[in-house]
Amino acid sequence: MFFQQRVWIAVLAILVSSNFTVSFCDQPVAVSDDISQQDQASAGGGKPKSETKKAASDAGQADFDDAVIKRIEAESPEQLAAVSTLLESALTKGLNEENESFAEKMLASVLVQRSQQVVALMQRVRGRRMLQLRDEALEFLRKATQSDPTLVEAYLMIAQLNILPEGNRDEMTTATSKAIELLVDEPIQQSRAYVLRAVAQEDAEKKMADLDSAIQADPSNIEALQARAGLRMQSDDVDGAMADLKLILAEDPGNQVVAQAAVQQLLDAERVDDAVELITKTLAAKPSEGMYRMRAILYRLQGKEDEALADLNKALAMQPKDPISLLQRSEIALSRGDIQAAKRDLKTAMGIAPQVADAEQAIVVRCLIAVEEGRMADAINDMKTLVDRDPTSIVRQLQLANLYLRDERPRQAIEILSAVLDRDPKNASVLRSRADALLSVGEHADAVADYERAAKVTQDDSVELPGILNNLAWVLATSPNDTLRDGNRAVEHGKRAAELTQFKEAHILSTLAAGYAEIGDFEKAIEWSRKAVELGESDENEQIEQLKEELESYRQNKPWREKQELEENKVPILSPEDLIDT
């Protein structure tokens, strides 16, 4: 519309510069300077005094008239370039004050249109060529602002183009500042200009000030609110960030992009409850399978499997062919021991998207199914795949080592754990796992050394410490190696492990009893062994029979001895090509 108005003004200019008079209320109105001055000459009998000056100021009139005519239909880059040339020529040669002002504004308009054509070309290219076109567009825009310093559109385009790589931050700041000044009576547009200037600011305080001004000018500016939320999150102002994100969702309740960004920021800040609350509000405004799936994942983090399953079912009702939701539901089925349901969802997910079979989550599910079905070779192959993908992942290597232990391949587990400890010698989890493996092959001295190292590097409030102390005490109390046993230390570590678990773990009380038996205090040994049996029976402990045998041994004043010498499983592990289809 603005461009059309300018075209009509150009048409009027042609009429104004023509040599005729227009009647208005029956009074002749002189339009042409030439006619006016001819009348003056007739009346005065000679040339007007300003004729020489007028001739100089109108030297560019012909080029100006030609430019105005060509401007009406100019669309192509070549046509617009021709108009620019004519206008520049007219201005150089000289125009009267009114036409000079008009020519400057028309030139600015043409230059902006030429820059827009160049920007359109930029979308079709990449790399250096795109940046070259950017510089060309910027040159047009700089000239446009010289011709018309009030042209807000040109300043905003200058700022936007400088956002690209190798852009000039100073020019961007100058252009947006000028736009902000010009838009004082247009708060919504001014708010957007503030956001652009905030992008150029390197100083966090200046950036925040611009975003504050943007929101003050237009409280509904979602882009400004989102940018300020991100900046607040970077400065650890999580509550401030959440306040901005809630304002966005109040304006646009169904904005899932913002909701997902907010949820991710809350998760980064370990505020899972707040993330769930935010998703719940978003779902109330606009249900979506993506939000249900996301909330299901968060429910799983909170240990709310029932709620997670309900949300996954809703997500799948809205989008039955969502492989991610199917994989999530498959994991829940596994945790509940429903192997068939887990296999069914996994198979369906891979049928929908075959590439899912190579996804980490799918491999994990497939591995766990194999474990539950006793196909340890298949499980090991899957876990080896994950380890190969990320050799630096200690978690995956621990999982592989544990699978080797479950498949009675302790020496392969020891090999993996030793390699990890070469890189991370103070990793308590790995030390404990290797000690367990060493214990299973009868290498008690090395196991004790690993347990002791693990205990030294484990924090007192660590959930792992009771297990480490218990296993160490057990070896010191029950090892057949006479030089290795140390009853007093066994009682010391056993007591601490029992205290840390509030005397509620049957196997730890069993260890404490073994320590007392080793130092010959069978009265104490029987007392703690009896409590271990009672707890074991109430908890349906799978080792209840051994607990009873230990108690009987102490009643006969006999200490307990145990030497594990697990025979290594020699059966070859199947290759991935031989994996059983689940």
Side-chain angles (χ1 to χ4, degrees), residues 149 183 527:
L183 290 168
E527 176 188 346

Side-chain angles (χ1 to χ4, degrees), residues 268 287 310 334 338 359 396 409 428 467 483 566:
D268 291 343
L334 270 175
D338 190 348
R396 293 296 185 215
R409 302 175 191 270
T483 61
L566 184 66

Side-chain angles (χ1 to χ4, degrees), residues 20 285 293:
F20 63 87
R293 181 178 63 237

Side-chain angles (χ1 to χ4, degrees), residues 366-367 370-371 373-385 400 403-404 406-409 412 569 571-580:
R366 194 171 62 207
C367 174
V371 170
E373 292 186 335
R375 295 182 287 104
M376 296 306 300
D378 295 341
I380 287 170
N381 271 320
D382 276 333
M383 191 55 64
K384 285 173 69 176
T385 298
L400 178 56
L403 289 177
Y404 277 132
R406 289 189 63 164
D407 197 35
E408 298 182 348
R409 302 175 191 270
Q412 286 181 270
N569 184 351
V571 177
I573 295 175
L574 297 173
S575 67
E577 291 77 15
D578 296 325
L579 283 171
I580 299 172

Side-chain angles (χ1 to χ4, degrees), residues 113-261:
Q113 191 172 354
R114 292 181 71 183
S115 72
Q116 290 170 336
Q117 290 178 333
V118 175
V119 170
L121 289 175
M122 289 172 60
Q123 299 175 13
R124 306 175 194 170
V125 298
R126 293 290 183 272
R128 295 306 308 173
R129 179 54 182 156
M130 183 182 71
L131 296 180
Q132 289 170 356
L133 290 173
R134 185 269 308 275
D135 292 341
E136 185 178 337
L138 280 172
E139 190 57 35
F140 286 142
L141 293 166
R142 291 178 190 127
K143 289 180 179 178
T145 58
Q146 290 172 4
S147 293
D148 184 0
T150 67
L151 197 55
V152 173
E153 181 182 8
Y155 291 118
L156 294 178
M157 286 186 67
I158 288 172
Q160 290 164 341
L161 287 170
N162 275 299
I163 294 175
L164 293 173
E166 301 180 21
N168 188 320
R169 286 182 178 271
D170 291 337
E171 183 177 40
M172 188 176 175
T173 301
T174 301
T176 47
S177 296
K178 186 64 178 177
I180 289 167
E181 291 175 14
L182 294 169
L183 290 168
V184 66
D185 295 325
E186 299 182 51
I188 293 178
Q189 295 297 327
Q190 188 186 56
S191 176
R192 294 172 183 170
Y194 273 120
V195 173
L196 265 178
R197 192 170 71 179
V199 173
Q201 303 284 17
E202 292 184 300
D203 181 83
E205 290 186 6
K206 291 182 179 179
K207 188 186 292 286
M208 182 64 78
D210 274 345
L211 293 173
D212 288 341
S213 296
I215 294 164
Q216 184 177 0
D218 178 12
S220 65
N221 188 333
I222 290 178
E223 185 180 2
L225 287 166
Q226 195 165 349
R228 190 170 71 176
L231 190 59
R232 282 176 163 175
M233 190 64 74
Q234 289 175 15
S235 60
D236 295 325
D237 182 8
V238 179
D239 291 328
M242 289 311 304
D244 281 340
L245 292 168
K246 286 178 180 178
L247 287 173
I248 296 172
L249 293 174
E251 290 286 333
D252 185 6
N255 192 325
Q256 294 181 27
V257 174
V258 170
Q260 289 174 356

